[in-house]
Amino acid sequence: MATLSAILALSISTASASDRIIDFSALPQTIQQFAKANFKDKKVAVVKEDTSFFGAVTDGYDVVFADGTEIDFSSDGTWREVSAKTSSVPNSIVPEQILGYIRDNFNSSPVIQIERKRYGYKVELASKQELKFNKQFVFLGMD
């Protein structure tokens, strides 16, 4: 009986959450504008809509560029994570206070990933150091 329950639960969770490939033009305007403004020289490879409840609810969007750079957006169009595989995250995305801290303390090492977290921001540098900042951009420590 426990095995049947586990299989049923797995089936429901698998069927209820999925990614659907969509066209860039189907993205909300805020996401299209963000991508065009900050990644104008990059070619979009794939756009995914993250859905749940059998596709009835949109949880967010992923935009992946040909060079591997990926942006994860919430359903309201706010970026949650930007990850650069072969380049760096555009400075236009990184809050100025965080860029200043990196410039002053980490020799302006390029940002290769930035995430919005509940506490603020998590930033990974090209030097592989991971930094945490609160919502007021105060350095909290290294991860």
Side-chain angles (χ1 to χ4, degrees), residues 60-71:
Y61 303 91
D62 296 310
V63 177
V64 181
F65 295 93
D67 71 348
T69 298
E70 186 171 346
I71 313 168

Side-chain angles (χ1 to χ4, degrees), residues 12-72:
I12 290 171
S13 67
T14 304
S16 65
S18 65
D19 290 343
R20 185 172 57 149
I21 305 298
I22 63 171
D23 200 53
F24 184 81
S25 63
L27 286 168
Q29 283 298 310
T30 54
I31 295 175
Q32 290 183 47
Q33 291 167 355
F34 179 88
K36 288 175 184 175
N38 295 290
F39 299 92
K40 58 183 165 265
D41 297 332
K42 295 191 185 293
K43 183 177 190 263
V44 174
V46 66
V47 177
K48 296 182 282 187
E49 179 181 36
D50 304 326
T51 62
S52 58
F53 297 106
F54 303 98
V57 176
T58 298
D59 296 323
Y61 303 91
D62 296 310
V63 177
V64 181
F65 295 93
D67 71 348
T69 298
E70 186 171 346
I71 313 168
D72 177 31

Side-chain angles (χ1 to χ4, degrees), residues 1-9:
M1 185 67 174
T3 306
L4 181 58
S5 296
I7 291 171
L8 183 59

Side-chain angles (χ1 to χ4, degrees), residues 104-117:
D104 295 344
N105 297 282
F106 292 92
N107 200 28
S108 296
S109 183
V111 173
I112 60 170
Q113 183 175 357
I114 185 167
E115 289 180 75
R116 283 195 169 125
K117 299 288 208 176

